[in-house]
Amino acid sequence: MTKRQILTCLRNLLSRDVCHAVERKYLAANASLLQTNCVKNYHQTTPLMFYNRFKSRKEVKKKSKEEEEQDREIDAKLVEEKVKELDVVTKIPYKINVASFESKTDRFVNRIFKQVEQSGEKTQETFNTAVKIYKLNAGLYMRGHIEFGEVALSKLEEYELQYNLEVYKMIFSIFPEGKYLPTSKIAAEFTPFPRQQDAALQILTKMFDNGVIPDEEFGRMIISRFSQRSKVFTRYLRMLYWMPKFKYMNPWPIPRPPPKDPIQLAVLALKRMSFDLETKITVVNDSKESEISATRSGKFIASAQSPKQRELLSRHPSSKPIIVEGEHYVYLRKVCQKVFFLKTDPEEEITGEDPDYYKALEEEDVEDMFNFTTPLSGEEQTALVPKKSVHEQEDGTVYAMCITSDSSKESLQDWIQFLQTTNLALEHIPVLFRIKDADSLLKETIRQEEEEEL
């Protein structure tokens, strides 16, 4: 180190000390400015420097909280403005304070439906409004869409929309587009995003249970969200192939949704129960006979009887009673109907026939391979045994069927009086009522089967 460099270092040290002395005098004279934090000097003492830093951070936190509250208020106002623009919503008596996402998803989803139900009745418009409100509040990636889909599917029966295809499309639209697409064909084979695909399969399963056939637009929605190689699209193709084939195969079709009129339901059930094509179904309402198309609401009796059943009833002996048996359950989709039968006892036989009437039908000739006949040999004379009708079953002969409004014994007595107008022989035949619940009949049959097995 040369002599000149040493002198330069000494000069710099002396000048720095002089500057420090001047600054201390200035700070002592202007202490008030230091308290207001207007003077920011690098050469502050360590405690004072950390205090100023802590103070500034505290002020920043206060400002951030105020800004968050302002942002929430702004977001709530924007949500209200967007909902007002919807065609379905006319008035919104509620306010949603959720900006983008709520951690308790189930509570958030249930609250949406509760608030919408308070504003009006449970219709398709209110259901679509709930889905649109969820989309506005769920953010870009539709957070909580799986939970919302499950709740929406459970609400379909309450809103009576389980047979509406447009509602299923609205529920399926909550899945974000492009987020669950596989990256390659190999990745698609390993079922990426299984939880989301299972939630989409639940929607298709609900459609299958209710007989709703998807269309081409629904398939495009699946492709844009899960691709053509997903399990969801495979299920869609199977439904699109099989459901139209089985839709019109039922010879006794039931409309979707089924009618709410109990008389129409009773007529549909009797048509399904009667195998004879000549069966005539008559509805008696307010003690007056009326046709099916001219029925009225209230108490009624729906009776089914064919000409062959009248003929069998006219040949029944007057000394042997006839039984009114029931109640038996018939289901039209999810609606239960209680059916009663006018029939004979299983041990009874039809009069005027050969005593070996039933035995001749049950016996089978044992063929012997060596006992054969030639065309030249004489034919043996055999008796002609009449064929059983559809109404003659092993447990008795069915003469008539009926469904009443209240399934009471009084209504069944009125039914017998109505049958006497068209069946004169019924006036001289005793009628016994054997009315039991279907549950007790089921228990008795199970008990009898168990006894036979033992």
Side-chain angles (χ1 to χ4, degrees):
M1 194 172 182
T2 60
K3 186 177 180 180
R4 185 174 182 179
Q5 292 176 347
I6 294 170
L7 292 174
T8 304
C9 291
L10 292 172
R11 188 186 63 184
N12 292 335
L13 290 171
L14 290 172
S15 62
R16 188 182 67 181
D17 293 337
V18 171
C19 290
H20 285 190
V22 173
E23 288 176 358
R24 286 171 185 169
K25 289 181 182 180
Y26 180 78
L27 292 172
N30 300 307
S32 61
L33 295 174
L34 181 64
Q35 291 179 1
T36 57
N37 202 15
C38 293
V39 179
K40 295 183 179 179
N41 195 352
Y42 180 77
H43 300 286
Q44 293 177 354
T45 58
T46 304
L48 185 61
M49 182 173 63
F50 279 103
Y51 172 74
N52 290 333
R53 287 183 182 178
F54 177 76
K55 190 176 180 181
S56 62
R57 288 179 182 175
K58 202 171 183 181
E59 292 176 355
V60 169
K61 286 183 180 179
K62 289 182 179 179
K63 290 182 179 179
S64 63
K65 288 182 180 179
E66 293 177 357
E67 291 176 356
E68 287 179 359
E69 292 178 357
Q70 292 177 359
D71 292 340
R72 288 180 181 177
E73 292 178 358
I74 292 170
D75 291 336
K77 291 179 181 178
L78 291 174
V79 169
E80 289 184 0
E81 292 176 358
K82 288 181 179 179
V83 174
K84 286 180 181 179
E85 293 175 0
L86 297 175
D87 297 331
V88 179
V89 183
T90 55
K91 293 183 180 180
I92 303 174
Y94 49 83
K95 181 179 179 181
I96 298 175
N97 295 323
V98 182
S100 61
F101 175 69
E102 186 171 315
S103 58
K104 297 180 180 179
T105 311
D106 296 336
R107 185 185 299 176
F108 170 58
V109 170
N110 292 325
R111 189 176 64 186
I112 290 176
F113 279 99
K114 287 181 181 178
Q115 291 172 345
V116 172
E117 289 170 4
Q118 290 176 0
S119 62
E121 298 179 355
K122 295 182 179 181
T123 59
Q124 184 177 354
E125 295 181 357
T126 56
F127 190 89
N128 294 338
T129 304
V131 177
K132 291 177 182 179
I133 290 173
Y134 169 76
K135 288 181 179 180
L136 292 173
N137 290 270
L140 178 63
Y141 295 104
M142 295 293 178
R143 302 182 188 276
H145 58 274
I146 296 176
E147 291 80 3
F148 182 82
E150 292 176 353
V151 175
L153 288 176
S154 64
K155 295 279 185 179
L156 289 177
E157 282 75 11
E158 297 182 14
Y159 285 78
E160 297 181 356
L161 299 173
Q162 64 270 25
Y163 303 109
N164 195 334
L165 178 60
E166 298 299 327
V167 174
Y168 289 101
K169 289 181 184 178
M170 181 69 71
I171 297 173
F172 199 85
S173 64
I174 64 177
F175 290 94
E177 294 186 9
K179 186 179 179 182
Y180 304 125
L181 295 174
T183 56
S184 62
K185 294 181 181 179
I186 298 174
E189 295 297 328
F190 288 95
T191 314
F193 308 102
R195 182 70 182 90
Q196 285 74 17
Q197 289 200 34
D198 290 342
L201 286 172
Q202 287 180 3
I203 298 175
L204 292 175
T205 304
K206 189 77 171 179
M207 294 173 63
F208 178 78
D209 295 339
N210 293 315
V212 181
I213 302 175
D215 57 358
E216 294 182 1
E217 183 182 356
F218 201 93
R220 289 193 292 269
M221 294 173 66
I222 295 173
I223 293 171
S224 63
R225 287 162 175 82
F226 296 101
S227 80
Q228 291 182 345
R229 298 182 179 274
S230 61
K231 289 183 177 180
V232 185
F233 192 75
T234 304
R235 179 64 184 272
Y236 161 76
L237 292 178
R238 290 173 179 171
M239 291 173 62
L240 204 61
Y241 179 79
W242 287 108
M243 292 183 69
K245 293 180 179 295
F246 292 102
K247 184 176 181 181
Y248 301 104
M249 289 186 69
N250 188 359
W252 302 280
I254 301 171
R256 294 180 184 272
K260 295 182 179 180
D261 188 5
I263 298 177
Q264 295 181 5
L265 291 172
V267 172
L268 289 173
L270 291 175
K271 283 183 179 180
R272 173 171 289 191
M273 292 291 293
S274 54
F275 292 95
D276 196 347
L277 298 178
E278 297 180 354
T279 301
K280 182 182 178 182
I281 300 174
T282 311
V283 178
V284 181
N285 194 356
D286 295 335
S287 301
K288 293 181 181 180
E289 184 179 352
S290 60
E291 296 297 329
I292 298 171
S293 59
T295 56
R296 291 173 291 177
S297 61
K299 292 185 178 182
F300 67 92
I301 298 172
S303 176
Q305 193 178 32
S306 66
K308 183 64 177 178
Q309 287 176 318
R310 292 195 186 104
E311 181 184 350
L312 293 172
L313 183 58
S314 63
R315 289 156 50 188
H316 186 84
S318 59
S319 59
K320 296 179 181 180
I322 301 178
I323 301 167
V324 176
E325 187 180 272
E327 54 193 19
H328 298 280
Y329 291 163
V330 178
Y331 283 90
L332 304 175
R333 303 203 189 279
K334 295 183 179 180
V335 183
C336 178
Q337 296 292 318
K338 299 177 182 179
V339 186
F340 295 90
F341 297 97
L342 181 66
K343 54 181 292 188
T344 60
D345 205 51
E347 293 83 12
E348 300 298 333
E349 297 177 354
I350 300 176
T351 58
E353 302 288 348
D354 190 4
D356 298 332
Y357 175 74
Y358 294 104
K359 294 181 181 180
L361 295 176
E362 295 175 358
E363 289 179 356
E364 294 182 358
D365 296 330
V366 180
E367 295 182 358
D368 190 357
M369 60 184 300
F370 297 104
N371 187 14
F372 59 90
T373 60
T374 62
L376 299 176
S377 61
E379 295 182 358
E380 296 181 0
Q381 295 182 357
T382 57
L384 294 177
V385 179
K387 188 180 179 180
K388 274 187 175 182
S389 64
V390 181
H391 311 288
E392 300 174 63
Q393 302 294 327
E394 294 180 357
D395 59 344
T397 304
V398 180
Y399 293 140
M401 295 183 296
C402 83
I403 296 176
T404 63
S405 57
D406 52 359
S407 302
S408 62
K409 189 175 180 180
E410 296 177 355
S411 61
L412 295 176
Q413 290 174 353
D414 295 336
W415 175 51
I416 297 298
Q417 292 178 1
F418 167 72
L419 290 177
Q420 289 176 355
T421 58
T422 55
N423 301 272
L424 301 177
L426 189 59
E427 297 179 359
H428 309 286
I429 301 173
V431 180
L432 302 179
F433 291 88
R434 191 183 295 170
I435 302 172
K436 295 182 180 179
D437 294 334
D439 296 334
S440 61
L441 291 173
L442 180 61
K443 291 178 182 179
E444 287 183 3
T445 53
I446 293 172
R447 182 177 55 79
Q448 291 176 2
E449 290 177 357
E450 291 177 351
E451 291 177 355
E452 291 177 357
E453 290 177 357
L454 296 175

